[in-house]
Amino acid sequence: MAEITAALVRELREATGAGMMDCKKALTEANGDKEAAVDWLRKKGLSQAAKKSGRVAAEGLVAVASEKNKAAVVEVNAETDFVARNEAFQTAVEQIAQAALKVGDDLETLKAAKLPSGRTVADELTHLVATIGENMSLRRARVLSVSSGVVASYVHGALRPGVGRIGVLAAIEAPSENEALLALGRQVGMHVAATRPAALTVDDVDASALERERSVLVEQARASGKPEAIIEKMVDGRIRKFYEEVVLLEQVWVHDGESRVKKVLEKEGGKLVAFERFQLGEGIEKEENDFAAEVAKVAGK
């Protein structure tokens, strides 16, 4: 039986990020063979990941990465906001965004992409599940690019550069890339983070959403008792107001409170062609825990 020294345990822990006792047990099982111990930990991590995969993961982080006229945004979920403060998790999410920048936003392709650790994205998340002890998942990714111009990024609630709770990309076409255009793109990102537009242009508004809105407005207008011709004009006016609320280019620019976004872009000679906004946990149904009931259960009441 090989001697399992403290130094060997420490080396394995530094190499894998696993707990001290897990590393000691892995080395014991592997008879002191470090590489075999790494494999044992990976297999153990796979087992732990399977057990945790049913848990709701609605916390985590959003990260952005950019280069020249291209940028990516990803969302990686965990079970608690405690994990978001873990440096290893932050680094992994940051690296996953960089990987998306290289391989694109197809999730299966991204999961197979290699990270600096030598592990794939999927294996890195499995490794973190084993190390940290929470379910984690790569939820979504998006990459935007332009042939000429900039794709700017903005992160709200950043825990470190490019990593936070809300990530926005803004793709602006222009004859060339310059710092002024990039700064404008970041301002657009801040605007999108604050206003949550549903569409870029009027033509992009979801037809069913527009029909629902029009139906409500028609009923409201008819309640006034006015003639149909007047009702039609009232509804048209309110639809324009609806567009100003949900269409990015029609919104009032948050940075001055009076200009329209489209006018700001026209003035700077850029054309906003796409945007993306990822908010952490958006659309995930979270479990509501009754803390008092949990305490009573533990106390045996």
Side-chain angles (χ1 to χ4, degrees):
M1 180 70 182
E3 182 183 4
I4 309 302
T5 65
L8 189 57
V9 172
R10 185 172 61 252
E11 288 176 11
L12 182 60
R13 186 183 186 191
E14 289 174 353
T16 63
M20 189 73 75
M21 294 306 296
D22 283 338
C23 289
K24 185 176 181 180
K25 186 173 182 181
L27 286 164
T28 301
E29 293 289 332
N31 197 27
D33 186 325
K34 186 179 172 183
E35 293 302 316
V38 170
D39 290 342
W40 187 93
L41 284 168
R42 289 189 66 196
K43 291 174 183 177
K44 183 174 183 289
L46 286 170
S47 175
Q48 290 185 353
K51 291 177 183 177
K52 293 175 174 67
S53 64
R55 298 181 186 171
V56 175
E59 297 293 341
L61 289 170
V62 169
V64 300
S66 59
E67 61 176 20
K68 296 184 178 179
N69 53 353
K70 184 179 181 182
V73 57
V74 301
E75 179 183 352
V76 181
N77 297 129
E79 293 177 58
T80 67
D81 59 1
F82 175 78
V83 174
R85 298 191 291 274
N86 182 291
E87 287 193 13
F89 181 71
Q90 291 177 9
T91 298
V93 178
E94 188 176 66
Q95 291 175 349
I96 291 171
Q98 291 286 349
L101 199 59
K102 295 178 182 178
V103 305
D105 49 24
D106 175 75
L107 289 187
E108 292 308 310
T109 301
L110 182 53
K111 287 176 183 177
K114 287 289 184 71
L115 296 181
S117 65
R119 291 184 283 265
T120 64
V121 168
D123 286 344
E124 186 69 27
L125 290 177
T126 295
H127 171 71
L128 287 171
V129 169
T131 305
I132 298 174
E134 287 196 10
N135 183 28
M136 297 176 195
S137 63
L138 171 61
R139 184 187 181 200
R140 52 181 173 165
R142 182 74 191 279
V143 176
L144 297 181
S145 63
V146 292
S147 56
S148 180
V150 301
V151 181
S153 61
Y154 169 74
V155 171
H156 184 73
L159 297 179
R160 64 198 281 181
V163 181
R165 296 185 66 83
I166 299 176
V168 181
L169 305 182
I172 302 176
E173 286 185 348
S176 62
E177 177 187 350
N178 57 66
E179 284 302 316
L181 196 63
L182 196 58
L184 175 62
R186 292 195 188 101
Q187 286 188 309
V188 171
M190 293 174 67
H191 175 100
V192 170
T195 63
R196 303 179 65 169
L200 175 62
T201 69
V202 169
D203 291 339
D204 295 329
V205 174
D206 181 74
S208 60
L210 179 59
E211 185 56 38
R212 285 196 304 271
E213 185 68 17
R214 183 177 290 278
S215 177
V216 170
L217 293 176
V218 167
E219 290 303 315
Q220 290 176 345
R222 280 179 178 156
S224 67
K226 290 183 171 57
E228 284 296 319
I230 300 297
I231 288 173
E232 187 175 342
K233 290 181 180 179
M234 290 172 63
V235 170
D236 287 344
R238 290 175 184 176
I239 287 294
R240 284 194 294 273
K241 184 66 177 176
F242 170 72
Y243 285 145
E244 290 170 6
E245 292 173 357
V246 304
V247 175
L248 176 53
L249 292 179
E250 304 299 323
Q251 289 179 333
V252 174
W253 187 234
V254 296
H255 300 284
D256 66 14
E258 55 184 45
S259 306
R260 296 290 173 192
V261 172
K262 60 184 177 183
K263 293 298 181 183
V264 172
L265 287 157
E266 287 172 3
K267 182 179 178 181
E268 297 298 328
K271 180 183 179 182
L272 185 64
V273 294
F275 75 93
E276 192 63 57
R277 182 185 188 276
F278 278 12
Q279 181 166 340
L280 180 65
E282 193 172 40
I284 298 176
E285 186 175 345
K286 300 183 183 181
E287 293 178 340
E288 295 295 333
N289 296 319
D290 186 335
F291 183 68
E294 288 184 6
V295 172
K297 183 178 179 180
V298 171
K301 294 181 180 178

